[in-house]
Amino acid sequence: MDKVLIVYSTTDGQTKKICEKIIKTGKKKQCIDMLSIDYASDLSIGEYRKIIIGASIRYGKHNPLVYEFIKSNKAELEKKSTAFFTVNVVARKKEKNQPDTNPYMKKFLELSGWRPDKL
């Protein structure tokens, strides 16, 4: 059975709702754990095969805890199947709703130094 971890950072609850929707649409043969970034600092991610991180934007920035989590777990994340998504109002614009055109996604990738498999 695949173990999946979803870590999220949310301000107004939208990112958490997206994560809950991901769980509902997940495969039946997966064990999916979901955890707020606020409680993820001491988490051991070794047992998970797939990891999804979702983070919202607040005042133009992702939560610093997201970067700390990635920095602390980068070596392990690079061994796993990973995905990252960002929730921001700029993505409502057609010309800025793709990973390569969204300024917050581009900035996240630059600052984190991490390249998830899926964006």
Side-chain angles (χ1 to χ4, degrees):
M1 179 180 292
D2 284 345
K3 283 199 80 166
V4 180
L5 174 64
I6 300 175
V7 177
Y8 67 91
S9 171
T10 192
T11 302
D12 298 315
Q14 297 307 312
T15 307
K16 183 178 180 184
K17 287 180 184 178
I18 293 167
C19 293
E20 289 168 345
K21 182 71 171 179
I22 290 169
I23 290 172
K24 285 181 184 175
T25 61
K27 296 177 184 175
K28 299 285 186 218
K29 294 183 180 180
Q30 292 180 328
C31 172
I32 304 174
D33 294 332
M34 186 174 90
L35 185 66
S36 168
I37 195 69
D38 296 327
Y39 305 105
S41 63
D42 294 329
L43 179 68
S44 173
I45 64 170
E47 66 185 278
Y48 297 97
R49 187 167 171 261
K50 299 176 182 178
I51 299 173
I52 300 168
I53 300 174
S56 63
I57 291 293
R58 181 65 157 190
Y59 301 119
K61 297 180 180 182
H62 289 102
N63 184 332
L65 293 176
V66 174
Y67 294 106
E68 290 175 26
F69 178 81
I70 291 167
K71 183 179 178 183
S72 298
N73 294 285
K74 190 169 182 236
E76 195 68 30
L77 286 168
E78 291 175 346
K79 298 176 190 174
K80 314 270 181 196
S81 177
T82 58
F84 175 79
F85 68 92
T86 181
V87 179
N88 59 79
V89 297
V90 172
R92 76 187 184 286
K93 298 177 182 177
K94 187 176 181 176
E95 68 276 8
K96 294 185 179 183
N97 68 3
Q98 297 299 312
D100 60 336
T101 60
N102 185 277
Y104 294 113
M105 179 67 82
K106 290 163 64 171
K107 185 175 181 180
F108 167 81
L109 294 171
E110 179 185 324
L111 292 176
S112 71
W114 174 52
R115 293 292 170 177
D117 299 314
K118 294 188 181 190
L119 300 171

